[in-house]
Amino acid sequence: QVHLMESGGGLVQAGGSLRLSCAASRIIFSDNVMGWYRQAPGKQRELVARFTPGGTPYYGDAVKGRFTISGDNAENTIYLQMDSLKPEDTAVYYCNAVHTSLYLHPNLGSWGHGTQVTVSP
């Protein structure tokens, strides 16, 4: 079974930066779309960014130009560099892995337990 472990969340002031990491085990990196999603209180989970290692990343409109997704195939780890953070970025951030044929259906893949990101005004 795929195991995903997020880290790197925390409290930061608006305008600051954080880098999230997601270590993946029992997974063939190249067979999966890796993504970051977030869920704020009272809101639905939304896509932040996703990519297939070696492919073109896709970003949600709310984070384009501020966040960057990347991966290290050798370490089976993906990252989310978050810059110019805003209070509305406050959410629990989840790592997701789903087979490339199911990339539009992340709920059919695996999720990490999430990491809290809080951005103060």
Side-chain angles (χ1 to χ4, degrees):
Q1 186 173 355
V2 174
H3 180 69
L4 303 172
M5 177 66 75
E6 302 98 337
S7 60
L11 173 64
V12 64
Q13 286 189 327
S17 298
L18 281 174
R19 189 175 85 151
L20 306 183
S21 300
C22 172
S25 61
R26 305 190 188 97
I27 190 172
I28 300 175
F29 225 40
S30 60
D31 288 348
N32 286 267
V33 174
M34 305 298 296
W36 288 98
Y37 292 74
R38 68 186 183 186
Q39 188 166 19
K43 295 187 177 181
Q44 289 188 331
R45 192 171 295 189
E46 65 173 352
L47 172 67
V48 176
R50 65 169 180 245
F51 84 133
T52 299
T56 301
Y58 175 88
Y59 296 94
D61 288 341
V63 307
K64 281 181 183 176
R66 299 189 297 121
F67 290 11
T68 304
I69 189 171
S70 62
D72 184 331
N73 284 6
E75 297 294 328
N76 263 18
T77 300
I78 65 166
Y79 304 97
L80 185 69
Q81 177 66 41
M82 305 186 294
D83 298 318
S84 302
L85 282 161
K86 304 175 181 180
E88 51 263 44
D89 295 318
T90 295
V92 178
Y93 283 69
Y94 297 91
C95 181
N96 174 266
V98 64
H99 192 272
T100 52
S101 63
L102 300 172
Y103 78 99
L104 293 178
H105 304 281
N107 285 333
L108 296 179
S110 299
W111 295 92
H113 288 103
T115 184
Q116 176 71 44
V117 171
T118 303
V119 184
S120 62

